[in-house]
């Protein structure tokens, strides 16, 4: 596939909400250039790979937002998940539960 578009950050509730930004591709143009290609093995997400700390303290100079901070995927769970936006990912066998969302995620199947 060839995908062209504009990569932007969207903050649900607006920048002053303190919510984590979401990366999105605006006005994508998708072209299939070949089919049947092998894909990389998925990254396995397990309790051992996800850090215990959820997120860093927000930057006081940015109104408590964490959006401008450097990602630390080995330290914070939220940063770990952010680092997996592009790769194919899977999970070790377990029950998962999360609140419903109206925001489609990148790479969802």
């Amino acid at each position: 596939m060839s995908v062209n578009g504009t990569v932007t950050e969207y903050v649900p509730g607006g920048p002053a909400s303190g919510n984590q930004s979401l990366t999105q591709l605006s006005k994508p143009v998708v072209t299939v250039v070949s089919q049947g290609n092998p894909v990389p093995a998925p990254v396995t997400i397990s309790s051992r790979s996800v850090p215990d700390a959820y997120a860093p303290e927000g930057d006081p100079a940015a109104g408590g937002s964490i959006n401008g901070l450097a990602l630390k995927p080995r330290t914070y769970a939220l940063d770990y998940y952010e680092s997996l936006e592009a790769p194919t990912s899977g999970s070790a066998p377990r029950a998962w539960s999360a609140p419903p969302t109206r925001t489609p995620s990148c790479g969802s199947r």
Side-chain angles (χ1 to χ4, degrees):
M1 292 180 116
S2 171
V3 180
N4 291 300
T6 303
V7 177
T8 58
E9 292 291 316
Y10 166 72
V11 181
S17 69
N19 290 329
Q20 175 75 20
S21 66
L22 303 170
T23 305
Q24 65 183 17
L25 189 60
S26 300
K27 300 181 182 177
V29 176
V30 180
T31 305
V32 176
V33 294
S34 67
Q35 296 180 14
N37 300 305
V39 296
V43 173
T44 300
I45 300 170
S46 72
S47 60
R48 292 177 6 141
S49 65
V50 179
D52 291 331
Y54 180 68
E57 293 294 320
D59 181 359
S65 174
I66 64 172
N67 290 327
L69 301 176
L71 292 179
K72 295 182 179 178
R74 291 187 175 143
T75 305
Y76 300 110
L78 191 61
D79 292 354
Y80 174 75
Y81 292 126
E82 176 79 11
S83 73
L84 297 176
E85 279 188 348
T88 302
S89 59
S91 64
R94 70 184 72 251
W96 287 85
S97 129
T101 177
R102 292 178 171 227
T103 307
S105 62
C106 238
S108 60
R109 295 181 180 184

